[in-house]
Amino acid sequence: MLVYPSGVDVSSSTLRFLTARLRTSRHERGTRWRRLTCGRQALLTLAHLRCGHTYAQLSAGFGVSVATAYRYIAEAVQVLAALAPTLEQALQTAATKAYVILDGTLLPIDRIAADRPFYSGKHKKHGMNIQVLTDPFGRLLWASPALPGAVHDIRAARTHGIIDAVTEAQINCWADKGYQGAGGTVRVPFRGRWVNLSAGQRAVNVAHARIRAVGEQAMATLKSWRLLRKLRCSTTRITALVQAVLTLHLASSDRG
């Protein structure tokens, strides 16, 4: 396999952050020697998450076996995922904001047509449902565990306890029509065809859409990590991958 230099569009502070976390993890485990240093392992992981490079490509580029590349990345992902905020922690941060925006997205996966639990009728493809909370500026606060793509947004929100949590914390939450009937402090637009809505209802829906549009930045942030644009791994690993990306995003935001 031919090997050539390439770039990863993440900040050096993100690399330093992951390197420090891996160094701490190795110290806690009592690891004496590894084929790659903490810095090289961090770069290997970032190349996989950000660029979506395969294990075969990474093993050639970093001079390790495919099995070693897989093991190093899996270890780093677990270290990062463990640092991701819980829903309770995210709501503590959200309590200082005017409101939060709740939205869901589908992360595409490579599944055959027979895998119905993962097929989203809305998106017409197989994937995993992820719920996210963002602040009024579109910054990610929290990402949920992954559920099969056939699960609707309102059901996913209830499964994760998001609706009850924001209501109990008395945090105003803006969401789209997919969350109709959520109740509590969740605010959704009026249903119905535009021509059948009153002038007041139209005005409310326009204002509502402007607020929610900011939340689309969070989805763009998630999918700027190219691995999440088309996942070809076991569905049991997707939650950890999303949590790892969230941790890296929050770490870079704190240093920004």
Side-chain angles (χ1 to χ4, degrees):
M1 181 180 293
L2 298 176
V3 179
Y4 66 94
S6 183
V8 183
D9 56 340
V10 297
S11 65
S12 57
S13 63
T14 302
L15 177 63
R16 290 193 298 269
F17 170 81
L18 180 51
T19 300
R21 301 289 82 74
L22 291 174
R23 187 177 295 115
T24 299
S25 177
R26 289 189 184 187
H27 178 74
E28 292 174 348
R29 296 184 181 191
T31 303
R32 294 185 178 181
W33 181 85
R34 289 287 185 90
R35 183 69 180 271
L36 296 181
T37 64
C38 294
R40 293 290 286 173
Q41 183 182 359
L43 184 58
L44 172 76
T45 304
L46 291 176
H48 179 63
L49 295 176
R50 188 69 173 184
C51 304
H53 292 162
T54 65
Y55 298 120
Q57 292 171 319
L58 294 169
S59 67
F62 285 80
V64 296
S65 68
V66 173
T68 299
Y70 174 87
R71 187 173 65 253
Y72 279 8
I73 291 171
E75 177 188 7
V77 166
Q78 290 300 323
V79 168
L80 289 170
L83 299 173
T86 64
L87 179 58
E88 292 73 18
Q89 291 170 333
L91 290 181
Q92 289 177 5
T93 302
T96 64
K97 313 292 183 180
Y99 56 85
V100 295
I101 302 170
L102 170 63
D103 202 358
T105 190
L106 187 82
L107 300 181
I109 59 176
D110 59 341
R111 284 296 182 272
I112 61 176
D115 292 326
R116 299 300 298 177
F118 301 99
Y119 185 78
S120 169
K122 175 183 176 181
H123 297 90
K124 307 301 181 185
K125 64 178 68 174
H126 292 81
M128 299 295 284
N129 182 297
I130 298 292
Q131 301 292 302
V132 301
L133 288 175
T134 65
D135 70 9
F137 301 99
R139 292 187 291 248
L140 273 170
L141 297 176
W142 177 77
S144 74
L147 292 175
V151 177
H152 296 286
D153 284 339
I154 181 64
R155 179 182 168 192
R158 286 172 174 159
T159 299
H160 299 308
I162 302 171
I163 298 170
D164 290 339
V166 295
T167 301
E168 183 178 348
Q170 297 184 338
I171 299 173
N172 289 324
C173 178
W174 299 81
D176 62 26
K177 294 180 180 179
Y179 299 88
Q180 287 284 348
T185 57
V186 178
R187 300 290 179 261
V188 296
F190 288 102
R191 294 189 66 177
R193 300 181 61 183
W194 183 260
V195 294
N196 296 331
L197 297 178
S198 67
Q201 290 173 329
R202 292 179 184 180
V204 169
N205 281 7
V206 169
H208 194 283
R210 288 174 179 169
I211 292 174
R212 286 194 307 102
V214 180
E216 294 299 323
Q217 297 177 20
M219 299 307 178
T221 297
L222 274 180
K223 294 182 180 180
S224 66
W225 297 80
R226 297 172 186 84
L227 183 69
L228 300 184
R229 296 179 187 176
K230 183 68 173 182
L231 290 153
R232 295 178 173 84
C233 62
S234 169
T235 55
T236 59
R237 298 184 55 228
I238 293 177
T239 293
L241 290 170
V242 172
Q243 299 296 333
V245 167
L246 174 63
T247 297
L248 290 171
H249 167 73
L250 293 176
S252 61
S253 298
D254 291 341
R255 288 162 175 75

